Amino acid sequence: MRHPRRWQIPAGIGVLTTSLALCAPALAAPTVAASTGGAALSASVTTASRGPVSTKPASGTPHLAITKSLQEIRQLVKCGQTMYAVGRIWEVSQNGHSYSRNNVFSFSATAPYRMTGWNPDVDGEVESITFTNGQGCGTAYLGGDFGHVNGTAAAHIAAVSTSTGAIVPGFAHNANGTVNTLVSHHGHVLAGGLFTQINGSGRAYFASLSPSTGKVDGFANLNIKGSVTGMAEQVYKQQLSHSGKLDLVEGNFTSVAGKARQQILMLNLAGSTARLTAWTSPEFSSHCIAREALYVRSAAWSRDDSTVYVADTGDHPLNRASGTFPLWGLCDAVVSFPATQKSVHHNWIEYSGCDSYFSVAADDGAVYAGGHPRWANNPYGCNARGRNGVDDPGMQGLNPGTGEVLTNAQGKARYQMSRANADDMLFTSGGLWVASSNRFGSQWCDGVSGHSGICYLGYS
């Protein structure tokens, strides 16, 4: 368990089953945000079908300095030829050089991945960053838990110049609670978080903003309500489909637009206003252990948008008797669901054995899952490797059709990295970027050091 203000969930009818079943603005290179540390935006995918990615991390990428206090990258986004990283950050290292940054930094998207001088000096954790489709990369929209940017008051949300780091004055910058996720969609900035007021309007937890003024523009009126555990209602992450017409939204809620929805919903963005779809599952209404009853942390789309993959924490089901196996429900699991717009049940569930997943992404060759797992395919173990469990720490690659772990020629898990609580995964045309932390000195990606916070696995 981690992040006091973040959380998890469960669900109910399967055992480990293996039944078959960018953040980039329009002017940037084709990119897809696979999940987002505080959320991500996504553009249509135009790259060829590919995957799985290489197991070998690219060398020379910036990384978080190994410090006694936790640093973490909550989201990575690509705009043009530049990568942008946000989170809880104060020292970044690259090729023996140290750079002081305040919760945001940027670097070249291609080798040698040089750091830029951009440093907007944000005085609190930044959860999410996005750019407006079709408007280039001159303005970055930031959301998080902060009060000032470059010395200017800005409560939880701001538009910032990527050349000067200064606040863009025309965009309102005042929310009364943390902004966890930002996504750009056809002239709208979709914001989610803990706020109930944003830029002068009463909107609880989710709002559509004008990218020029920051004012609520009326595109999304979801009426999100309810709490799974008595914790604060909120929207946590969101992921646009590859078509750009649908949006998955995760958070602490039980009702949306007057319909029962718990922890995850699907929006249709194709019309003049965002509409709640009929996609849901009764499995999201069962519960994990009390302290992690909110367990859906992230979701991702298959490349053809026909399947939704969900990454969960939660430890184990609330009413599970100690020592009973196999595991069931959605706790500490990666789950595949049909994306059909109706009530659905899972295709397959893959269990870590009571270790959390925080991020998930998919290409044609694999489903990638990150968090702090020690094992994969482990429904017969809880905090231990059970029968048929596979050693697979940190990040995993799973078969998209069955959920079984991908292995190498030696029969071992294809991927591994430090158990660094990987929070976000981003696909670009070149491969997969994984955002994580320096938790317990974490810096290893496929056995290679120097990748604390950032690991880039390219297509061979």
Side-chain angles (χ1 to χ4, degrees), residues 250-335:
E250 299 87 55
N252 184 10
F253 46 77
T254 58
S255 172
V256 180
K259 304 290 185 180
R261 293 291 186 275
Q262 189 157 297
Q263 303 189 80
I264 186 168
L265 62 92
M266 183 190 293
L267 292 178
N268 185 330
L269 305 179
S272 58
T273 58
R275 303 188 321 275
L276 181 70
T277 73
W279 182 85
T280 187
S281 175
E283 297 179 66
F284 293 118
S285 63
S286 52
H287 295 277
C288 300
I289 62 172
R291 74 172 183 273
E292 298 185 67
L294 294 166
Y295 54 86
V296 176
R297 285 300 187 95
S298 188
W301 298 87
S302 63
R303 287 289 292 267
D304 63 1
D305 291 341
S306 67
T307 305
V308 169
Y309 303 104
V310 176
D312 296 336
T313 65
D315 201 318
H316 61 75
L318 180 63
N319 58 351
R320 170 182 174 262
S322 178
T324 58
F325 297 102
L327 298 171
W328 55 273
L330 306 188
C331 309
D332 280 355
V334 180
V335 192

Side-chain angles (χ1 to χ4, degrees), residues 114-456:
R114 289 190 180 92
M115 287 283 292
T116 75
W118 190 56
N119 185 13
D121 190 21
V122 185
D123 69 352
E125 185 167 337
V126 179
E127 304 294 337
S128 189
I129 179 172
T130 195
F131 295 84
T132 305
N133 298 92
Q135 300 299 311
C137 304
T139 299
Y141 299 87
L142 305 180
D145 187 14
F146 54 81
H148 294 81
V149 177
N150 248 335
T152 300
H156 309 296
I157 189 166
V160 179
S161 167
T162 56
S163 57
T164 67
I167 288 278
V168 176
F171 186 89
H173 38 268
N174 187 14
N176 69 347
T178 302
V179 174
N180 289 325
T181 171
L182 296 171
V183 161
S184 174
H185 170 74
H186 295 292
H188 309 282
V189 175
L190 304 181
L194 290 96
F195 56 83
T196 57
Q197 298 275 338
I198 187 165
N199 291 340
S201 295
R203 284 292 188 279
Y205 321 124
F206 194 87
S208 176
L209 309 177
S210 162
S212 57
T213 67
K215 299 294 186 179
V216 169
D217 61 19
F219 177 69
N221 299 293
L222 301 185
N223 193 24
I224 293 175
K225 295 180 179 180
S227 170
V228 174
T229 62
M231 296 170 62
E233 293 94 335
Q234 63 181 295
V235 165
Y236 182 57
K237 280 189 178 183
Q238 55 185 322
Q239 305 83 27
L240 290 181
S241 64
H242 299 303
S243 70
K245 296 179 180 179
L246 299 169
D247 190 20
L248 293 169
V249 180
E250 299 87 55
N252 184 10
F253 46 77
T254 58
S255 172
V256 180
K259 304 290 185 180
R261 293 291 186 275
Q262 189 157 297
Q263 303 189 80
I264 186 168
L265 62 92
M266 183 190 293
L267 292 178
N268 185 330
L269 305 179
S272 58
T273 58
R275 303 188 321 275
L276 181 70
T277 73
W279 182 85
T280 187
S281 175
E283 297 179 66
F284 293 118
S285 63
S286 52
H287 295 277
C288 300
I289 62 172
R291 74 172 183 273
E292 298 185 67
L294 294 166
Y295 54 86
V296 176
R297 285 300 187 95
S298 188
W301 298 87
S302 63
R303 287 289 292 267
D304 63 1
D305 291 341
S306 67
T307 305
V308 169
Y309 303 104
V310 176
D312 296 336
T313 65
D315 201 318
H316 61 75
L318 180 63
N319 58 351
R320 170 182 174 262
S322 178
T324 58
F325 297 102
L327 298 171
W328 55 273
L330 306 188
C331 309
D332 280 355
V334 180
V335 192
S336 168
F337 288 96
T340 313
Q341 293 182 28
K342 63 180 183 179
S343 182
V344 299
H345 291 277
H346 68 262
N347 299 318
W348 52 256
I349 304 179
E350 185 278 326
Y351 292 98
S352 65
C354 303
D355 284 336
S356 295
Y357 293 104
F358 299 121
S359 58
V360 64
D363 60 14
D364 290 317
V367 176
Y368 307 89
H372 57 242
R374 288 166 284 182
W375 306 283
N377 299 152
N378 196 34
Y380 290 93
C382 185
N383 291 312
R385 186 177 68 178
R387 171 163 53 93
N388 299 326
V390 178
D391 291 330
D392 198 358
M395 188 189 97
Q396 301 169 353
L398 308 174
N399 183 304
T402 67
E404 293 292 331
V405 68
L406 300 181
T407 56
N408 58 24
Q410 291 72 44
K412 296 182 178 181
R414 177 179 172 89
Y415 301 99
Q416 61 176 313
M417 63 180 290
S418 296
R419 296 176 64 223
N421 288 339
D423 255 339
D424 185 42
M425 295 183 182
L426 170 75
F427 274 109
T428 65
S429 58
L432 176 67
W433 294 86
V434 182
S436 60
S437 74
N438 65 354
R439 175 182 185 249
F440 306 142
S442 296
Q443 61 170 314
W444 301 91
C445 190
D446 192 49
V448 180
S449 63
H451 292 278
S452 178
I454 296 178
C455 177
Y456 177 45

